[in-house]
Amino acid sequence: MSASNPIDAAPGGRRLHPWPVRIMHWINAGAMIVMIGSGWGIYNDSVIVHGLYFPQAVRIGSWAAESLLWHFAAMWVLALNGLAYLIYGFATGRFRERLLPIRVADVIATVRETLLFKIAHDDLTVYNAVQKILYIVAILAGVLQVITGLAIWKPVQFSGLVELFGGFQGARLAHFLGMAVLVGFLAVHVTLALLVPQTIRAMLTGGPRLRAPGAGGSR
């Protein structure tokens, strides 16, 4: 996919993925895996979709109480690390730089090129329009998981949140759907990373050094 790159390579510039981003990324990845696996163990104790159960092979915890312990442990890690990630992304302008703008014409062009298998991945510094949307959806789904998780965890203390989702079961359903969105995002994210191994190396090493137009400092 051809696109103008607003960020130019610079031997002495900042990395594509600064060290705080890399650390938070891998902590988020590990915590999310534990949250999802333990969440499936909790789900099996009281299913939402009739007939849908998750096998032990993909669950963390041999029974619901054990899964809950894993879930709560990972919850604090993910919540604190996720909050740090959001603060960093907004404070440094990384979200604005990497995820905006999103133009309808770019979305249409990206979808068309994807269907024709013509998307190029040679420029790691630029996200296409669909990638930007997926990252924003994943961030919003993560926020939703925190809100619905609080409603499920403490339905009396957070009764106002419970009411927002039409009751306890509504909050559980929203939490389940948010999980499904994040699992879908992870599946696409991991698949693309395996297809384009340089993206994994960049998240380990920091990637190329860059210079943002008009920026004099590092982020």
Side-chain angles (χ1 to χ4, degrees):
M1 177 181 176
S2 60
S4 58
N5 186 0
I7 307 176
D8 302 316
R14 62 187 172 84
R15 292 284 190 179
L16 172 64
H17 302 306
W19 66 264
V21 171
R22 303 200 302 272
I23 292 175
M24 290 185 289
H25 171 273
W26 292 113
I27 291 176
N28 272 340
M32 284 181 67
I33 290 172
V34 175
M35 288 290 288
I36 291 170
S38 60
W40 287 344
I42 298 167
Y43 166 90
N44 274 12
D45 193 56
S46 179
V47 301
I48 296 175
V49 180
H50 181 69
L52 175 62
Y53 293 88
F54 296 97
Q56 180 61 50
V58 299
R59 294 179 354 231
I60 296 178
S62 56
W63 61 306
E66 185 178 348
S67 297
L68 272 171
L69 293 177
W70 281 102
H71 207 66
F72 286 143
M75 173 186 72
W76 293 111
V77 175
L78 187 62
L80 294 175
N81 192 69
L83 179 61
Y85 179 76
L86 289 176
I87 292 173
Y88 182 91
F90 284 114
T92 63
R94 181 176 176 84
F95 288 157
R96 181 180 65 253
E97 176 186 281
R98 303 285 287 158
L99 303 180
L100 298 175
I102 300 175
R103 302 181 179 89
V104 175
D106 292 338
V107 175
I108 295 173
T110 301
V111 171
R112 182 185 301 117
E113 291 174 358
T114 300
L115 294 175
L116 295 175
F117 300 99
K118 290 184 178 180
I119 283 188
H121 299 284
D122 52 342
D123 187 356
L124 301 181
T125 67
V126 177
Y127 289 153
N128 63 49
V130 172
Q131 284 178 302
K132 293 177 180 179
I133 292 174
L134 288 176
Y135 277 109
I136 291 174
V137 168
I139 291 172
L140 294 177
V143 173
L144 175 67
Q145 289 302 87
V146 172
I147 295 173
T148 54
L150 288 173
I152 295 170
W153 179 35
K154 299 288 187 180
V156 176
Q157 292 85 342
F158 296 102
S159 58
L161 292 180
V162 176
E163 291 176 4
L164 284 177
F165 298 97
F168 183 79
Q169 288 302 320
R172 285 193 69 216
L173 178 59
H175 198 67
F176 179 81
L177 293 176
M179 176 276 299
V181 169
L182 289 175
V183 170
F185 170 80
L186 286 176
V188 173
H189 187 63
V190 171
T191 299
L192 291 177
L194 294 176
L195 292 174
V196 190
Q198 57 265 37
T199 60
I200 300 178
R201 289 195 295 270
M203 191 51 74
L204 291 170
T205 65
R209 293 188 179 277
L210 310 170
R211 181 181 61 250
S218 61
R219 221 175 259 157

